[in-house]
Amino acid sequence: MKRTDFLKVSAAAVAAGTLVSPLQASSIFRRDRQESWLKKGYMLETFPDFRETPVLEIAQRLHTAGFDGMEPPSGMDRQEVLDAAEASGLEIPSVCCSTHWTDPLTDPDPDVRRSGLEGVKIALEDAHTYGSRTLLLVPGVVNAKVSYDQAWHRSRQQIQSLIPMAEELGITIAVENVWNQFLLSPMEAARYVDSFESPWVGWYLDLGNIVTYGWPEQWVKILGARIAMIHIKEFSLEKRDEEGLWNGFQVNLMEGSNHWEAIMRALREVGYDGYGIAEPAYRTPEMDPDRWLQEMISDRMDRIFASGS
């Protein structure tokens, strides 16, 4: 079944509250499963002292730690990023839009929305320049000034206008749930993606952010082939309940509430392949940064990816 055919079938299935058999996700970064199932990427903005460290140095340190790729924010010096990737041998499978918080696509002010749209266009151009195939985009924010239905309609209108550009450049716009009080269930997330009726809109599944809403493995099974990319992140429900919501992130990988074996099994079942990109929200303060990167992130990602087989 083609992705376009799947969209037609799945839209009806979601509306009826049922699931359909997901497609095997496609990726130009696919590798032979017998060699390795997933490649390891790293979100650059979470690197220690990111703003003060040359991109080349970061890329080389990531390569030494065993990473295959990096995810830069949009708006960086493109040549610097390209040179760092070439010198280190790292791929750039995805780019994170850097303007979706400052200029949200759902803002009440039309000028802010227009600025946000231009920011996404720059991010798409960045992704194309780097040879990426995915753009991480926060579609909007629900708050006291933006109602849920307004966020739905405004974000859809903006993203719909970007689809021709995304198709021309070959970039999937991947929507992410980031505690923006929007798209709070996997069924709704699936319906949102399907509403575009385009293979150029998908879902960026953050496996840490989702924990406070439910079980990531359930999101995986429901979203299926809509998943364009995943973030590897940990979250502790125990810390959340005892210390406050945001402290739930204050744990290393494999030390929180994620059921990694079940999550990896679900990803295999829906045919996900390509990259898992680390977005660590916590760093063990007493550890040397490079040792932390190797032992707490890279090595533990290897263990996570090997689970659930």
Side-chain angles (χ1 to χ4, degrees):
M1 185 187 292
K2 294 181 180 179
R3 164 73 168 160
T4 50
D5 296 331
F6 172 77
L7 286 168
K8 297 175 183 177
V9 175
S10 59
V14 170
T18 60
L19 302 182
V20 297
S21 298
L23 294 175
Q24 182 174 13
S26 62
S27 170
I28 62 166
F29 298 110
R30 186 183 305 279
R31 53 164 55 174
D32 190 321
R33 284 181 181 273
Q34 293 182 351
E35 178 191 352
S36 179
W37 177 47
L38 294 179
K39 288 187 176 183
K40 291 186 295 186
Y42 192 97
M43 187 181 190
L44 285 187
E45 285 186 288
T46 64
F47 194 88
D49 301 318
F50 165 61
R51 296 295 176 187
E52 290 74 41
T53 309
V55 181
L56 176 57
E57 179 183 335
I58 295 175
Q60 290 172 331
R61 291 165 69 178
L62 289 173
H63 182 267
T64 298
F67 287 88
D68 303 291
M70 58 183 177
E71 180 181 78
S74 62
M76 296 185 69
D77 184 299
R78 291 175 183 169
Q79 194 58 53
E80 182 181 8
V81 174
L82 286 170
D83 290 346
E86 182 178 3
S88 64
L90 294 185
E91 297 175 327
I92 307 176
S94 59
V95 170
C96 178
C97 181
S98 62
T99 60
H100 47 211
W101 288 117
T102 56
D103 299 310
L105 300 180
T106 53
D107 196 90
D109 187 339
D111 289 336
V112 174
R113 296 201 298 272
R114 278 191 288 270
S115 179
L117 194 65
E118 290 305 308
V120 181
K121 290 178 180 178
I122 291 172
L124 285 168
E125 291 169 353
D126 285 348
H128 179 65
T129 300
Y130 300 149
S132 310
R133 285 295 178 268
T134 306
L135 174 67
L136 188 166
L137 177 65
V138 176
V141 180
V142 174
N143 54 36
K145 296 181 179 179
V146 179
S147 66
Y148 209 103
D149 57 329
Q150 287 174 330
W152 180 280
H153 294 299
R154 287 174 185 167
S155 63
R156 283 200 70 262
Q157 182 181 41
Q158 300 283 60
I159 293 173
Q160 191 74 50
S161 72
L162 292 163
I163 291 176
M165 181 178 180
E167 181 176 7
E168 179 182 355
L169 298 180
I171 310 296
T172 297
I173 299 172
V175 174
E176 187 184 29
N177 184 309
V178 288
W179 294 7
N180 46 341
Q181 308 307 318
F182 186 47
L183 304 175
L184 302 177
S185 81
M187 299 296 286
E188 184 183 21
R191 177 188 171 198
Y192 184 83
V193 171
D194 292 346
S195 71
F196 293 98
E197 298 185 339
S198 171
W200 301 105
V201 179
W203 191 265
Y204 201 123
L205 184 60
D206 187 304
L207 297 168
N209 291 347
I210 294 301
V211 174
T212 199
Y213 296 112
W215 288 263
E217 56 269 31
Q218 295 179 11
W219 281 70
V220 170
K221 291 179 181 180
I222 292 170
L223 288 170
R226 303 172 185 85
I227 301 172
M229 191 68 73
I230 59 173
H231 265 162
I232 306 298
K233 187 193 294 181
E234 189 63 80
F235 188 86
S236 168
L237 294 173
E238 182 178 357
K239 277 187 147 312
R240 179 200 67 180
D241 294 342
E242 294 180 356
E243 302 175 17
L245 179 61
W246 287 95
N247 285 330
F249 288 122
Q250 301 302 299
V251 286
N252 286 308
L253 288 176
M254 304 184 76
E255 296 176 6
S257 301
N258 296 67
H259 302 147
W260 289 112
E261 183 174 344
I263 294 169
M264 291 300 115
R265 186 182 301 112
L267 286 166
R268 285 185 172 92
E269 288 175 359
V270 303
Y272 181 80
D273 204 351
Y275 265 89
I277 297 182
E279 187 193 354
Y282 172 75
R283 180 167 72 86
T284 308
E286 65 274 12
M287 290 186 71
D288 171 80
D290 289 308
R291 181 187 167 201
W292 166 81
L293 186 67
Q294 179 71 62
E295 296 180 12
M296 296 298 178
I297 307 298
S298 183
D299 290 351
R300 293 194 179 194
M301 287 177 73
D302 287 337
R303 291 164 60 188
I304 287 171
F305 293 168
S307 67
S309 58

